[in-house]
Amino acid sequence: MPSPLAKRSVETLLSVLLVVLSVLGAAGPSAAAAGSPAGPAPDWERIAACESNGRWHINTGNGYHGGLQIDPATWRAYGGRRYAPRADLATRDEQIAIGERIVRDRGLSAWPNCARTSDSDDSSSRAVEQTPPDDPAPQAAPRTRSLTSPGHTAARTYVVQPGDCLSVIAERTHTPGGTKALYDLNKDTLDQGPDHIYPGQRLRLRS
């Protein structure tokens, strides 16, 4: 007959094994989720090398500025004026920050040649307003959520808050068509340009 001490040791060992197995079971899904690869980030150095030979402060007078060759209207629309009047006057990191906003709103379509995965010597593409193709592929229209937080009156309008810019508003409210569509809807209100928005202004979110 086993002694009470031996019996207690076996029970302790079993308890430890149960704890270890439960920990391993809980960690399995987390480890799998953590190992899921994220989408590839834009290679801004490569895009800049294609657009401007990697010169982040270039201004040749052609209407496009900086390493990513962003035109003034796009720079203002995506909040660049908080950094500098033009892209070439901002730092590399500030230009990339605006580039990230453009990508979130429009993808890499602003750099159709230089954003390709294969090497390209064509640096003529610029971050300009893109004209949609004559027969675009059908896409599901983004839905505007009902907004009830301060600054929102309904799903069709938005009241500008301190610190807002058009790209932030378009992203926050899921405006169909993004920043450009939001500006087009409110040209009468934003008659001084897309970067001149002020707290209290009421913007339309859809036609």
Side-chain angles (χ1 to χ4, degrees), residues 92-199:
R92 169 187 173 278
D93 289 344
E94 289 166 349
Q95 293 179 50
I96 290 176
I98 298 303
E100 295 285 0
R101 285 189 174 183
I102 296 173
V103 169
R104 286 198 299 270
D105 187 30
R106 294 159 49 188
L108 290 169
S109 62
W111 304 274
N113 294 321
C114 291
R116 292 175 181 170
T117 54
S118 59
D119 290 332
S120 171
D121 294 326
D122 181 6
S123 60
S124 62
S125 63
R126 299 291 180 253
V128 296
E129 299 298 336
Q130 301 297 312
T131 303
D134 294 337
D135 187 17
Q139 296 179 350
R143 294 178 298 173
T144 303
R145 296 179 297 178
S146 297
L147 305 174
T148 57
S149 58
H152 302 84
T153 60
R156 293 181 176 273
T157 62
Y158 177 89
V159 177
V160 177
Q161 301 297 300
D164 278 345
C165 66
L166 278 189
S167 63
V168 171
I169 295 172
E171 181 179 352
R172 181 185 302 153
T173 60
H174 301 277
T175 301
T179 304
K180 182 179 184 300
L182 181 61
Y183 176 60
D184 289 342
L185 285 171
N186 295 277
K187 281 186 176 180
D188 292 340
T189 303
L190 305 176
D191 54 356
Q192 299 181 46
D195 58 317
H196 288 83
I197 65 174
Y198 305 98

Side-chain angles (χ1 to χ4, degrees), residues 18-72:
L18 287 174
V19 171
V20 170
L21 289 174
S22 64
V23 170
L24 290 176
S30 300
S36 300
D43 188 341
W44 294 114
E45 288 295 343
R46 189 169 189 169
I47 293 174
C50 174
E51 290 283 353
S52 63
N53 290 324
R55 292 179 287 178
W56 291 92
H57 301 289
I58 188 173
N59 178 10
T60 62
N62 65 350
Y64 305 93
H65 309 111
L68 304 178
Q69 291 290 274
I70 303 175
D71 69 275

